[in-house]
Amino acid sequence: EKLIFTSGQIPINPGNGELIKDDFKLEVHQVFKNLNAVLNEGGSSLQSAVKLTVFLIDFSFFTQVNEVFDYYFHNDPPARTAVQVSALPMNARIEIEAVGFIK
């Protein structure tokens, strides 16, 4: 099977190019929406993701990441790695990259 590897996605609103901030769960939802859009363009989808790498500026957000993760992945969630980093583009608090199967 073929794979797609995405760039890291941050919580940018594609409609206006602005970073979503001040509500961490909304930020994570936007990252997943952005990832799904990139995966779709490559012939895959979030549900076909097999590996995610999550970059956080603060591990205190990890519980909220898990809550949103459970919303998108009910059965057979992809493998996941989470790392804390000192900074992300545009001062985002989260970035996620994905590997998915191409349908």
Coordinates of all heavy atoms in Angstrom, one line a residue:
E1 N 0.8 -1.2 0.0 CA 0.0 0.0 0.0 C 0.9 1.2 0.0 O 2.0 1.2 0.5 CB -0.9 0.0 1.2 CG -1.9 -1.1 1.2 CD -3.0 -0.9 2.2 OE1 -3.5 0.2 2.4 OE2 -3.4 -1.9 2.8
K2 N 0.3 2.3 -0.5 CA 1.1 3.6 -0.5 C 0.7 4.4 0.7 O -0.4 4.3 1.3 CB 0.7 4.4 -1.8 CG 1.1 3.7 -3.1 CD 0.7 4.5 -4.3 CE 1.2 3.9 -5.5 NZ 0.8 4.7 -6.7
L3 N 1.7 5.2 1.1 CA 1.6 6.1 2.3 C 1.7 7.6 1.9 O 2.3 7.9 0.9 CB 2.7 5.8 3.3 CG 2.7 4.4 3.9 CD1 3.9 4.2 4.8 CD2 1.4 4.1 4.7
I4 N 1.1 8.4 2.7 CA 1.2 9.9 2.5 C 1.8 10.4 3.8 O 1.4 9.9 4.9 CB -0.1 10.6 2.2 CG1 0.1 12.1 2.1 CG2 -1.2 10.2 3.2 CD1 -1.1 12.9 1.6
F5 N 2.8 11.2 3.8 CA 3.4 11.9 4.9 C 3.1 13.4 4.9 O 3.4 14.0 3.9 CB 4.9 11.7 4.9 CG 5.3 10.2 5.0 CD1 5.3 9.4 3.9 CD2 5.8 9.7 6.2 CE1 5.7 8.1 4.0 CE2 6.2 8.4 6.3 CZ 6.1 7.6 5.2
T6 N 2.4 13.9 5.9 CA 2.1 15.3 5.9 C 3.1 16.1 6.6 O 3.9 15.6 7.4 CB 0.7 15.5 6.6 OG1 0.9 15.4 8.0 CG2 -0.4 14.6 6.2
S7 N 3.1 17.4 6.3 CA 3.8 18.4 7.1 C 3.1 18.6 8.4 O 1.9 18.2 8.5 CB 3.9 19.7 6.4 OG 4.2 19.6 5.0
G8 N 3.8 19.1 9.3 CA 3.1 19.4 10.6 C 2.0 20.5 10.3 O 2.2 21.5 9.6
Q9 N 0.9 20.3 11.0 CA -0.2 21.3 10.9 C -0.4 22.0 12.2 O -0.4 21.3 13.3 CB -1.5 20.6 10.4 CG -1.4 19.9 9.1 CD -1.1 20.9 8.0 OE1 -1.9 21.9 7.8 NE2 -0.1 20.7 7.2
I10 N -0.6 23.3 12.2 CA -0.9 24.1 13.4 C -2.3 24.6 13.2 O -3.0 24.5 12.2 CB 0.1 25.2 13.6 CG1 0.1 26.2 12.4 CG2 1.5 24.6 13.8 CD1 1.0 27.4 12.6
P11 N -2.9 25.2 14.3 CA -4.3 25.6 14.3 C -4.6 26.9 13.5 O -5.1 27.9 14.0 CB -4.7 25.7 15.7 CG -3.4 26.0 16.4 CD -2.4 25.3 15.6
I12 N -4.3 26.9 12.2 CA -4.6 28.0 11.3 C -5.9 27.9 10.7 O -6.3 26.8 10.2 CB -3.5 28.1 10.2 CG1 -2.2 28.6 10.8 CG2 -3.9 29.1 9.2 CD1 -1.1 28.7 9.8
N13 N -6.7 28.9 10.8 CA -8.0 29.0 10.1 C -7.7 29.2 8.6 O -7.2 30.2 8.3 CB -8.8 30.1 10.7 CG -10.2 30.3 10.0 OD1 -10.3 29.9 8.8 ND2 -11.1 30.8 10.7
P14 N -8.0 28.2 7.7 CA -7.7 28.4 6.3 C -8.5 29.5 5.7 O -8.1 30.0 4.6 CB -8.0 27.0 5.7 CG -9.0 26.4 6.6 CD -8.7 26.9 8.0
G15 N -9.6 29.9 6.3 CA -10.4 31.0 5.7 C -9.8 32.3 5.7 O -9.9 33.2 4.8
N16 N -9.0 32.6 6.8 CA -8.4 33.9 7.0 C -6.9 33.9 7.3 O -6.3 34.9 7.4 CB -9.1 34.7 8.1 CG -9.1 34.1 9.5 OD1 -8.3 33.2 9.7 ND2 -10.0 34.5 10.3
G17 N -6.3 32.7 7.4 CA -4.9 32.5 7.7 C -4.5 32.9 9.1 O -3.3 33.0 9.3
E18 N -5.4 33.1 10.0 CA -5.1 33.5 11.3 C -5.0 32.3 12.2 O -5.7 31.3 12.1 CB -6.1 34.5 11.9 CG -6.0 35.8 11.2 CD -7.0 36.8 11.7 OE1 -7.5 36.6 12.9 OE2 -7.2 37.9 11.1
L19 N -4.1 32.3 13.2 CA -4.0 31.3 14.2 C -5.1 31.3 15.2 O -5.5 32.4 15.7 CB -2.7 31.5 15.0 CG -2.2 30.3 15.9 CD1 -1.8 29.1 15.1 CD2 -1.1 30.8 16.8
I20 N -5.7 30.2 15.4 CA -6.8 30.1 16.5 C -6.0 29.9 17.8 O -5.1 29.1 17.9 CB -7.7 28.8 16.2 CG1 -8.5 29.1 14.9 CG2 -8.6 28.6 17.4 CD1 -9.3 27.9 14.5
K21 N -6.4 30.7 18.8 CA -5.8 30.7 20.1 C -6.8 31.0 21.2 O -7.9 31.3 20.9 CB -4.6 31.7 20.1 CG -4.9 33.0 19.6 CD -3.7 33.9 19.5 CE -4.0 35.2 18.8 NZ -2.8 35.9 18.6
D22 N -6.4 30.8 22.4 CA -7.2 31.1 23.6 C -8.3 30.0 23.9 O -9.0 30.2 24.9 CB -7.9 32.5 23.5 CG -6.9 33.6 23.3 OD1 -5.8 33.5 23.9 OD2 -7.3 34.6 22.6
D23 N -8.4 29.0 23.1 CA -9.3 27.8 23.4 C -8.6 26.6 22.9 O -8.6 26.3 21.7 CB -10.6 28.0 22.8 CG -11.6 26.9 23.2 OD1 -11.1 25.7 23.5 OD2 -12.8 27.1 23.3
F24 N -7.8 25.9 23.8 CA -7.0 24.8 23.4 C -7.7 23.7 22.6 O -7.2 23.2 21.6 CB -6.1 24.3 24.5 CG -5.1 23.4 24.0 CD1 -3.9 23.9 23.4 CD2 -5.2 22.0 24.1 CE1 -2.9 23.0 22.9 CE2 -4.2 21.1 23.7 CZ -3.1 21.7 23.0
K25 N -8.9 23.3 23.1 CA -9.6 22.3 22.4 C -10.0 22.7 21.0 O -9.9 21.9 20.1 CB -10.8 21.8 23.2 CG -10.5 20.9 24.4 CD -11.8 20.4 24.9 CE -11.5 19.5 26.1 NZ -12.7 18.9 26.7
L26 N -10.4 23.9 20.8 CA -10.7 24.4 19.4 C -9.4 24.4 18.6 O -9.5 24.1 17.4 CB -11.3 25.8 19.5 CG -12.7 25.9 19.9 CD1 -13.1 27.4 19.9 CD2 -13.6 25.1 19.0
E27 N -8.3 24.7 19.2 CA -7.0 24.6 18.5 C -6.7 23.2 18.0 O -6.4 23.0 16.8 CB -5.9 25.1 19.4 CG -6.0 26.6 19.7 CD -5.0 27.0 20.8 OE1 -3.8 26.5 20.8 OE2 -5.4 27.8 21.7
V28 N -6.9 22.2 18.8 CA -6.7 20.8 18.5 C -7.7 20.4 17.4 O -7.3 19.7 16.4 CB -6.8 19.9 19.7 CG1 -6.5 18.5 19.3 CG2 -5.8 20.3 20.8
H29 N -8.9 20.8 17.5 CA -9.9 20.4 16.5 C -9.5 21.0 15.1 O -9.6 20.4 14.1 CB -11.3 21.0 16.8 CG -12.1 20.1 17.8 ND1 -12.6 18.8 17.4 CD2 -12.4 20.2 19.1 CE1 -13.2 18.3 18.4 NE2 -13.1 19.1 19.5
Q30 N -9.0 22.3 15.1 CA -8.6 22.9 13.9 C -7.4 22.2 13.3 O -7.3 22.0 12.1 CB -8.3 24.4 14.1 CG -8.0 25.1 12.8 CD -9.2 25.1 11.9 OE1 -10.3 25.6 12.3 NE2 -9.1 24.7 10.6
V31 N -6.5 21.7 14.1 CA -5.3 21.0 13.6 C -5.8 19.7 12.9 O -5.4 19.3 11.8 CB -4.3 20.6 14.7 CG1 -3.3 19.6 14.3 CG2 -3.6 21.9 15.2
F32 N -6.8 19.0 13.5 CA -7.3 17.8 12.9 C -8.0 18.1 11.6 O -7.9 17.3 10.7 CB -8.2 17.0 13.9 CG -7.4 16.1 14.9 CD1 -7.5 16.3 16.2 CD2 -6.5 15.2 14.4 CE1 -6.8 15.5 17.1 CE2 -5.8 14.4 15.3 CZ -5.9 14.5 16.7
K33 N -8.8 19.1 11.6 CA -9.4 19.5 10.3 C -8.4 19.8 9.2 O -8.6 19.4 8.1 CB -10.3 20.8 10.6 CG -11.6 20.5 11.4 CD -12.3 21.8 11.7 CE -13.4 21.5 12.6 NZ -14.1 22.8 13.0
N34 N -7.3 20.5 9.6 CA -6.3 20.8 8.6 C -5.6 19.6 8.2 O -5.3 19.4 7.0 CB -5.3 21.8 9.2 CG -5.9 23.2 9.5 OD1 -7.0 23.5 9.1 ND2 -5.2 24.0 10.2
L35 N -5.3 18.7 9.1 CA -4.7 17.4 8.7 C -5.6 16.6 7.8 O -5.1 16.1 6.8 CB -4.4 16.6 10.0 CG -3.1 16.7 10.7 CD1 -3.1 15.9 11.9 CD2 -1.9 16.4 9.8
N36 N -6.8 16.5 8.1 CA -7.8 15.8 7.2 C -7.8 16.4 5.8 O -7.8 15.6 4.8 CB -9.2 15.8 7.9 CG -10.0 14.7 7.2 OD1 -9.6 13.6 7.0 ND2 -11.2 15.1 6.8
A37 N -7.8 17.7 5.7 CA -7.8 18.3 4.4 C -6.5 18.0 3.6 O -6.6 17.7 2.4 CB -7.9 19.9 4.6
V38 N -5.4 18.0 4.3 CA -4.1 17.7 3.6 C -4.2 16.2 3.2 O -3.8 15.8 2.0 CB -2.9 18.0 4.5 CG1 -1.6 17.4 3.9 CG2 -2.8 19.5 4.7
L39 N -4.6 15.3 4.1 CA -4.7 13.9 3.8 C -5.6 13.6 2.6 O -5.3 12.8 1.7 CB -5.1 13.1 5.0 CG -4.0 13.0 6.1 CD1 -4.6 12.5 7.4 CD2 -2.9 12.1 5.7
N40 N -6.8 14.3 2.6 CA -7.7 14.1 1.5 C -7.1 14.5 0.2 O -7.4 13.8 -0.8 CB -9.0 15.0 1.8 CG -9.9 14.3 2.8 OD1 -10.2 13.2 2.7 ND2 -10.4 15.1 3.8
E41 N -6.4 15.6 0.2 CA -5.8 16.0 -1.1 C -4.8 15.0 -1.6 O -4.6 14.9 -2.8 CB -5.0 17.4 -0.9 CG -5.9 18.6 -0.8 CD -6.7 18.8 -2.1 OE1 -6.0 18.7 -3.2 OE2 -7.9 19.1 -2.1
G42 N -4.2 14.2 -0.7 CA -3.3 13.2 -1.1 C -3.9 11.8 -1.3 O -3.2 10.8 -1.4
G43 N -5.2 11.7 -1.2 CA -5.9 10.5 -1.5 C -6.1 9.6 -0.2 O -6.4 8.4 -0.3
S44 N -6.0 10.2 1.0 CA -6.2 9.5 2.2 C -7.2 10.3 3.1 O -8.0 11.1 2.5 CB -4.8 9.5 2.9 OG -4.9 8.7 4.1
S45 N -7.2 10.0 4.4 CA -8.1 10.7 5.3 C -7.6 10.6 6.7 O -6.7 9.7 6.9 CB -9.5 10.2 5.2 OG -9.6 8.9 5.8
L46 N -8.1 11.3 7.6 CA -7.8 11.2 9.0 C -8.0 9.8 9.5 O -7.3 9.2 10.3 CB -8.5 12.2 9.8 CG -8.0 12.6 11.2 CD1 -6.5 13.1 11.1 CD2 -8.8 13.7 11.8
Q47 N -9.1 9.2 9.0 CA -9.5 7.8 9.5 C -8.5 6.8 8.9 O -8.5 5.6 9.4 CB -10.9 7.5 9.1 CG -11.9 8.4 9.8 CD -11.7 8.5 11.3 OE1 -11.6 7.4 12.0 NE2 -11.6 9.7 11.9
S48 N -7.7 7.1 7.9 CA -6.7 6.2 7.3 C -5.3 6.5 7.9 O -4.3 5.9 7.4 CB -6.7 6.4 5.8 OG -7.9 5.9 5.3
A49 N -5.2 7.4 8.9 CA -3.9 7.7 9.5 C -3.5 6.5 10.3 O -4.2 5.9 11.0 CB -4.1 8.9 10.4
V50 N -2.2 6.2 10.2 CA -1.6 5.1 10.9 C -0.6 5.6 12.0 O -0.3 4.9 12.9 CB -0.9 4.1 10.0 CG1 -2.0 3.4 9.1 CG2 0.2 4.7 9.2
K51 N -0.1 6.9 11.9 CA 0.8 7.4 12.8 C 0.7 8.9 12.9 O 0.6 9.6 11.9 CB 2.3 7.0 12.3 CG 3.4 7.6 13.2 CD 3.5 7.0 14.5 CE 4.8 7.3 15.3 NZ 4.8 8.6 16.0
L52 N 0.6 9.4 14.1 CA 0.6 10.8 14.4 C 1.8 11.2 15.3 O 2.1 10.5 16.2 CB -0.7 11.3 15.1 CG -2.0 11.0 14.4 CD1 -3.2 11.4 15.3 CD2 -2.1 11.7 13.0
T53 N 2.4 12.3 15.0 CA 3.4 12.9 15.9 C 2.8 14.2 16.4 O 2.5 15.1 15.6 CB 4.7 13.1 15.3 OG1 5.1 11.8 14.7 CG2 5.8 13.6 16.3
V54 N 2.7 14.4 17.7 CA 2.1 15.6 18.3 C 3.2 16.3 19.0 O 4.0 15.8 19.8 CB 1.0 15.2 19.4 CG1 0.4 16.4 20.1 CG2 0.0 14.3 18.8
F55 N 3.3 17.6 18.7 CA 4.3 18.5 19.3 C 3.5 19.5 20.1 O 2.6 20.2 19.7 CB 5.1 19.3 18.2 CG 5.8 18.4 17.2 CD1 5.2 18.0 16.0 CD2 7.0 17.9 17.5 CE1 5.8 17.2 15.1 CE2 7.7 17.0 16.6 CZ 7.1 16.7 15.4
L56 N 3.8 19.6 21.4 CA 3.2 20.5 22.4 C 4.2 21.4 23.0 O 5.3 21.0 23.3 CB 2.5 19.7 23.5 CG 1.3 18.8 23.1 CD1 1.0 17.8 24.2 CD2 0.1 19.7 22.8
I57 N 3.8 22.6 23.3 CA 4.8 23.5 24.0 C 4.7 23.3 25.5 O 5.5 23.8 26.2 CB 4.5 25.0 23.7 CG1 3.1 25.5 24.1 CG2 4.8 25.3 22.2 CD1 3.1 26.9 24.3
D58 N 3.6 22.5 25.9 CA 3.4 22.3 27.4 C 2.6 21.0 27.5 O 1.5 20.9 27.1 CB 2.7 23.5 28.0 CG 2.6 23.4 29.5 OD1 2.7 22.3 30.1 OD2 2.4 24.5 30.1
F59 N 3.2 20.0 28.2 CA 2.5 18.8 28.4 C 1.3 18.9 29.3 O 0.5 17.9 29.4 CB 3.5 17.7 29.0 CG 4.0 16.8 27.9 CD1 5.4 16.7 27.6 CD2 3.2 15.9 27.2 CE1 5.8 15.9 26.6 CE2 3.6 15.1 26.2 CZ 5.0 15.1 25.9
S60 N 1.1 20.0 30.0 CA -0.1 20.1 30.7 C -1.4 20.1 29.9 O -2.5 19.9 30.3 CB -0.1 21.4 31.6 OG -0.2 22.5 30.8
F61 N -1.2 20.3 28.5 CA -2.3 20.2 27.6 C -2.6 18.8 27.1 O -3.6 18.6 26.4 CB -2.0 21.1 26.3 CG -1.9 22.5 26.6 CD1 -0.7 23.2 26.3 CD2 -2.9 23.3 27.1 CE1 -0.6 24.6 26.5 CE2 -2.8 24.6 27.3 CZ -1.6 25.3 27.0
F62 N -1.9 17.8 27.5 CA -2.0 16.5 27.0 C -3.4 15.9 27.3 O -3.9 15.2 26.4 CB -0.9 15.6 27.5 CG -0.7 14.3 26.8 CD1 -0.3 14.3 25.5 CD2 -1.1 13.1 27.3 CE1 -0.1 13.1 24.7 CE2 -1.0 11.9 26.6 CZ -0.5 11.9 25.3
T63 N -4.0 16.1 28.4 CA -5.3 15.6 28.7 C -6.3 16.1 27.7 O -7.1 15.3 27.2 CB -5.7 15.9 30.1 OG1 -4.8 15.4 31.0 CG2 -7.1 15.4 30.5
Q64 N -6.2 17.4 27.4 CA -7.2 17.9 26.4 C -6.9 17.4 25.0 O -7.9 17.1 24.2 CB -7.0 19.5 26.4 CG -7.5 20.1 27.7 CD -7.3 21.6 27.7 OE1 -8.0 22.3 27.0 NE2 -6.3 22.1 28.4
V65 N -5.7 17.1 24.7 CA -5.4 16.5 23.4 C -6.0 15.1 23.3 O -6.7 14.7 22.3 CB -3.8 16.3 23.2 CG1 -3.5 15.5 21.9 CG2 -3.2 17.7 23.1
N66 N -5.9 14.3 24.4 CA -6.6 13.0 24.5 C -8.1 13.1 24.3 O -8.7 12.2 23.6 CB -6.2 12.3 25.8 CG -4.8 11.7 25.7 OD1 -4.3 11.4 24.7 ND2 -4.3 11.5 26.9
E67 N -8.7 14.1 24.9 CA -10.1 14.2 24.8 C -10.6 14.5 23.3 O -11.5 13.9 22.8 CB -10.6 15.4 25.7 CG -10.5 15.0 27.2 CD -10.8 16.2 28.1 OE1 -11.2 17.3 27.6 OE2 -10.6 16.1 29.3
V68 N -9.8 15.3 22.6 CA -10.1 15.6 21.2 C -9.8 14.4 20.4 O -10.5 14.0 19.4 CB -9.4 16.9 20.7 CG1 -9.7 17.1 19.3 CG2 -9.9 18.1 21.6
F69 N -8.7 13.7 20.7 CA -8.2 12.5 20.0 C -9.3 11.5 20.0 O -9.7 10.9 19.0 CB -6.9 12.0 20.7 CG -6.2 10.9 19.9 CD1 -5.3 11.2 18.9 CD2 -6.4 9.6 20.3 CE1 -4.6 10.2 18.3 CE2 -5.7 8.6 19.6 CZ -4.9 8.9 18.6
D70 N -9.9 11.3 21.2 CA -11.0 10.3 21.3 C -12.2 10.7 20.5 O -13.0 9.8 20.0 CB -11.4 10.1 22.8 CG -10.3 9.5 23.6 OD1 -9.4 8.8 23.1 OD2 -10.4 9.6 24.9
Y71 N -12.5 11.9 20.3 CA -13.6 12.4 19.4 C -13.4 11.9 18.0 O -14.3 11.5 17.3 CB -13.7 13.9 19.5 CG -14.7 14.5 18.6 CD1 -16.0 14.6 18.9 CD2 -14.3 15.0 17.3 CE1 -17.0 15.1 18.1 CE2 -15.3 15.6 16.5 CZ -16.6 15.6 16.9 OH -17.5 16.1 16.0
Y72 N -12.2 12.0 17.5 CA -11.9 11.6 16.1 C -11.6 10.2 15.9 O -11.8 9.7 14.8 CB -10.7 12.5 15.5 CG -11.1 13.9 15.3 CD1 -10.8 14.9 16.3 CD2 -11.7 14.3 14.1 CE1 -11.2 16.2 16.1 CE2 -12.1 15.6 13.9 CZ -11.8 16.6 14.9 OH -12.2 17.9 14.7
F73 N -11.1 9.5 16.9 CA -10.7 8.1 16.7 C -11.4 7.2 17.7 O -10.9 7.0 18.8 CB -9.2 8.0 16.9 CG -8.4 8.8 15.9 CD1 -7.8 10.0 16.3 CD2 -8.3 8.5 14.6 CE1 -7.1 10.8 15.5 CE2 -7.6 9.3 13.7 CZ -7.0 10.5 14.1
H74 N -12.5 6.7 17.3 CA -13.3 5.8 18.2 C -12.8 4.4 18.3 O -12.7 3.8 19.3 CB -14.8 5.7 17.8 CG -15.4 7.1 17.6 ND1 -15.7 7.9 18.7 CD2 -15.8 7.8 16.5 CE1 -16.2 9.1 18.2 NE2 -16.3 9.0 16.9
N75 N -12.4 3.9 17.1 CA -11.9 2.5 17.0 C -10.6 2.5 16.3 O -10.4 3.3 15.4 CB -12.9 1.6 16.2 CG -14.2 1.5 16.9 OD1 -14.3 1.4 18.1 ND2 -15.3 1.6 16.1
D76 N -9.7 1.7 16.6 CA -8.4 1.5 16.0 C -7.7 2.9 15.8 O -7.4 3.3 14.6 CB -8.5 0.9 14.6 CG -9.0 -0.6 14.7 OD1 -8.6 -1.2 15.7 OD2 -9.7 -1.0 13.8
P77 N -7.4 3.6 16.8 CA -6.6 4.9 16.7 C -5.2 4.6 16.1 O -4.7 3.5 16.3 CB -6.6 5.4 18.1 CG -6.7 4.2 19.0 CD -7.6 3.2 18.3
P78 N -4.7 5.6 15.5 CA -3.3 5.5 14.9 C -2.3 5.5 16.1 O -2.6 6.0 17.2 CB -3.2 6.7 14.1 CG -4.1 7.7 14.6 CD -5.3 6.9 15.1
A79 N -1.2 4.9 15.8 CA -0.1 5.0 16.8 C 0.2 6.5 16.9 O 0.0 7.3 16.0 CB 1.2 4.3 16.2
R80 N 0.8 6.9 18.1 CA 1.0 8.3 18.4 C 2.2 8.5 19.3 O 2.4 7.7 20.2 CB -0.3 8.9 19.1 CG -0.2 10.3 19.5 CD -1.5 10.8 20.1 NE -1.8 10.0 21.2 CZ -2.7 10.3 22.1 NH1 -3.4 11.4 22.0 NH2 -3.0 9.5 23.2
T81 N 2.9 9.5 18.9 CA 4.0 10.0 19.7 C 3.8 11.4 20.1 O 3.3 12.2 19.3 CB 5.4 9.9 18.9 OG1 5.6 8.6 18.6 CG2 6.5 10.4 19.8
A82 N 4.0 11.8 21.3 CA 3.9 13.2 21.8 C 5.2 13.7 22.4 O 5.8 13.0 23.1 CB 2.8 13.4 22.8
V83 N 5.6 14.9 21.9 CA 6.9 15.4 22.5 C 6.6 16.9 22.8 O 5.8 17.6 22.2 CB 8.0 15.4 21.4 CG1 8.4 13.9 21.2 CG2 7.7 16.0 20.1
Q84 N 7.3 17.3 23.9 CA 7.2 18.7 24.3 C 8.4 19.5 23.6 O 9.5 19.0 23.6 CB 7.3 18.9 25.8 CG 7.2 20.3 26.2 CD 7.0 20.4 27.7 OE1 6.3 19.7 28.4 NE2 7.7 21.4 28.3
V85 N 8.1 20.6 23.0 CA 9.1 21.4 22.3 C 9.1 22.8 22.9 O 8.1 23.3 23.6 CB 8.8 21.5 20.8 CG1 8.9 20.1 20.2 CG2 7.4 22.1 20.5
S86 N 10.1 23.6 22.7 CA 10.3 24.9 23.2 C 9.4 26.0 22.5 O 9.0 27.0 23.1 CB 11.7 25.4 23.3 OG 12.3 25.4 22.0
A87 N 9.2 25.8 21.2 CA 8.4 26.7 20.4 C 7.9 26.1 19.1 O 8.5 25.1 18.6 CB 9.3 27.9 20.0
L88 N 6.9 26.7 18.6 CA 6.3 26.2 17.3 C 6.0 27.4 16.4 O 6.0 28.5 16.9 CB 5.0 25.4 17.6 CG 5.1 24.1 18.3 CD1 3.8 23.6 18.8 CD2 5.8 23.1 17.3
P89 N 5.8 27.2 15.1 CA 5.6 28.3 14.2 C 4.4 29.2 14.6 O 3.4 28.6 15.2 CB 5.3 27.6 12.9 CG 5.9 26.3 12.9 CD 5.9 25.9 14.4
M90 N 4.5 30.4 14.5 CA 3.5 31.4 14.8 C 3.1 31.4 16.3 O 2.0 31.8 16.6 CB 2.2 31.2 13.9 CG 2.5 31.5 12.4 SD 1.0 31.2 11.4 CE -0.1 32.5 12.0
N91 N 4.0 30.9 17.1 CA 3.7 30.7 18.5 C 2.5 29.8 18.8 O 1.8 30.0 19.9 CB 3.5 32.1 19.2 CG 4.8 32.9 19.2 OD1 5.9 32.3 19.5 ND2 4.7 34.2 19.0
A92 N 2.2 28.9 17.9 CA 1.2 27.9 18.2 C 1.5 27.1 19.4 O 2.7 26.9 19.8 CB 1.0 27.0 16.9
R93 N 0.5 26.5 20.0 CA 0.7 25.7 21.2 C 0.7 24.2 20.8 O 1.1 23.3 21.7 CB -0.4 25.9 22.2 CG -0.3 27.4 22.7 CD -1.2 27.6 23.9 NE -2.6 27.6 23.6 CZ -3.6 27.8 24.5 NH1 -3.3 28.0 25.7 NH2 -4.9 27.8 24.1
I94 N 0.3 23.8 19.6 CA 0.3 22.4 19.2 C 0.5 22.4 17.7 O 0.1 23.3 16.9 CB -1.1 21.8 19.5 CG1 -1.1 20.3 19.2 CG2 -2.3 22.5 18.9 CD1 -2.2 19.5 19.7
E95 N 1.2 21.3 17.3 CA 1.4 20.9 15.9 C 1.3 19.4 15.8 O 1.8 18.7 16.7 CB 2.8 21.5 15.4 CG 3.1 21.1 13.9 CD 4.3 21.8 13.5 OE1 5.0 22.5 14.2 OE2 4.7 21.5 12.3
I96 N 0.7 18.9 14.7 CA 0.6 17.5 14.5 C 0.9 17.2 13.1 O 0.5 17.9 12.2 CB -0.8 16.9 14.9 CG1 -1.2 17.3 16.3 CG2 -0.9 15.4 14.6 CD1 -2.7 16.9 16.7
E97 N 1.7 16.1 12.9 CA 2.0 15.6 11.6 C 1.5 14.2 11.5 O 1.3 13.5 12.6 CB 3.5 15.6 11.2 CG 4.4 14.8 12.1 CD 5.8 14.9 11.8 OE1 6.3 16.0 11.3 OE2 6.6 14.0 12.1
A98 N 1.2 13.7 10.3 CA 0.5 12.4 10.1 C 1.1 11.6 9.0 O 1.7 12.1 8.1 CB -1.0 12.6 9.9
V99 N 1.0 10.3 9.2 CA 1.3 9.3 8.1 C 0.0 8.6 7.9 O -0.6 8.1 8.8 CB 2.4 8.3 8.5 CG1 2.6 7.3 7.4 CG2 3.7 9.1 8.8
G100 N -0.5 8.5 6.6 CA -1.7 7.8 6.3 C -1.6 6.9 5.1 O -0.8 7.1 4.3
F101 N -2.5 5.9 5.1 CA -2.6 5.1 3.9 C -3.4 5.8 2.8 O -4.3 6.5 3.1 CB -3.4 3.8 4.2 CG -2.6 2.7 4.9 CD1 -3.0 2.3 6.2 CD2 -1.5 2.2 4.4 CE1 -2.3 1.3 6.9 CE2 -0.8 1.2 5.1 CZ -1.2 0.8 6.3
I102 N -2.9 5.6 1.6 CA -3.6 6.2 0.4 C -4.6 5.1 0.0 O -4.2 3.9 -0.2 CB -2.7 6.6 -0.7 CG1 -1.8 7.7 -0.2 CG2 -3.5 7.0 -1.9 CD1 -0.7 8.1 -1.2
K103 N -5.9 5.5 -0.1 CA -6.9 4.5 -0.5 C -6.8 4.0 -1.9 O -6.3 4.6 -2.8 CB -8.3 5.2 -0.4 CG -8.6 5.7 1.0 CD -9.8 6.6 1.0 CE -10.0 7.3 2.3 NZ -11.0 8.3 2.3

